[in-house]
Amino acid sequence: MAVSMKRRNFVSVTDFTVEEIWNVWELAAQLKTKVKSGEPHRLLEGKQLAMIFQKPSLRTQVSFETGMTQLGGHALYLGPDHISLGKRESVPDVARVLGRMVDGVMARVFAHDDVVQLARYAGVPVINGLSDDEHPCQALTDLFTIYEKKRRIEGVNLTYIGDGNNVAASLLLAATKMGMNITIISPDGYEIKSQYVQRAKIDAAKSGARMQFSNDPYDVAGSDVIYTDTWASMGQEAEAEKRARIFKSYQVNDALLKQTDGSPLVMHCLPAHRGQE
Ligand code: NVA
């Protein structure tokens, strides 16, 4: 694999080219094999990663921290009370300080612009570990999982049903870039932000991916993968009851899966709320 030595950020799926994403997947596949066989794979020997969390996390914290250790590096957890990003200190100041002490920053933030600012000022690679608008690591990993299961990306029909949120936006960007067909089904008023649809159109025209949008929860015929996410994301807790009423008919259940005319993979980024989505 050709590794570019230029400093790179991963704030959005759009930051990587199609070739770079395939390179990441190829490396991920190699590392998975090495982990299983116990072969050393210490590609980040001596490197430090600062992990900023404004929101809770299970998978992101454990996977990044474990990953850094397995690769020979070290990860530092900076929780919401540790640095109070943007309150105790401005985002550019936090970025500049961290950039002098660590080799990379991963950040889970509310405002997407905070991770954009970190990337602008840190001087070291910055990875978006979820913002209110995007969740690029999730989408890249999900498409890799689909590839592992289906052995192809092009021509796979991925259907996302639920809130047009951060996960949906990143899945749309990733699928259209990589040539996977995608349908997004959301209730009226909860669709994906138009800026992502516009960008996805450009990438779909290049890759040949088909993209469709619907408000009809039963528009799932022909889906190879059904994907859903929580109806109320982190930070939207106050809207949870209202959303539960609005999203009720968008539940992934046996009746909905029957409409797919097949046995699709069912995916969820987690945490899942059983009995709801
Ligand atoms: N949309 C969810 C994803 C959690 C991984 C949230 O932002 O809370």
Side-chain angles (χ1 to χ4, degrees), residues 110-154:
F110 287 95
H112 184 74
D113 192 52
D114 281 354
V115 68
V116 171
Q117 296 286 320
L118 284 170
R120 184 166 303 148
Y121 294 103
V124 294
V126 172
I127 299 167
N128 179 359
L130 182 146
S131 68
D132 282 349
D133 291 351
E134 298 186 42
H135 199 0
C137 297
Q138 180 72 47
L140 225 59
T141 312
D142 287 331
L143 261 65
F144 178 62
T145 298
I146 295 169
Y147 178 68
E148 283 186 311
K149 300 280 177 200
K150 302 272 177 201
R151 301 316 304 171
R152 66 197 167 99
I153 288 287
E154 286 182 15

Side-chain angles (χ1 to χ4, degrees), residues 138-193:
Q138 180 72 47
L140 225 59
T141 312
D142 287 331
L143 261 65
F144 178 62
T145 298
I146 295 169
Y147 178 68
E148 283 186 311
K149 300 280 177 200
K150 302 272 177 201
R151 301 316 304 171
R152 66 197 167 99
I153 288 287
E154 286 182 15
V156 171
N157 297 318
L158 166 64
T159 302
Y160 175 94
I161 176 158
D163 190 23
N165 60 16
N166 44 11
V167 170
S170 290
L171 282 174
L172 177 68
L173 294 176
T176 48
K177 181 180 271 284
M178 302 309 288
M180 186 179 283
N181 301 325
I182 182 161
T183 301
I184 308 260
I185 305 175
S186 309
D188 189 20
Y190 292 86
E191 292 97 345
I192 283 195
K193 285 187 180 175

Side-chain angles (χ1 to χ4, degrees), residues 192-257:
I192 283 195
K193 285 187 180 175
S194 67
Q195 75 204 60
Y196 294 116
V197 176
Q198 294 317 318
R199 171 62 201 232
K201 262 187 205 159
I202 296 169
D203 284 341
K206 284 189 205 147
S207 71
R210 203 176 58 237
M211 58 186 242
Q212 301 180 103
F213 300 92
S214 167
N215 297 124
D216 180 354
Y218 275 14
D219 246 350
V220 293
S223 304
D224 300 307
V225 183
I226 295 281
Y227 195 117
T228 191
D229 185 14
T230 183
W231 294 337
S233 285
M234 290 179 276
Q236 298 174 333
E237 290 77 9
E239 295 173 36
E241 267 182 43
K242 179 183 162 207
R243 284 171 169 263
R245 281 194 302 278
I246 293 169
F247 283 81
K248 210 171 159 201
S249 53
Y250 293 77
Q251 184 181 68
V252 175
N253 52 28
D254 287 343
L256 183 130
L257 291 177

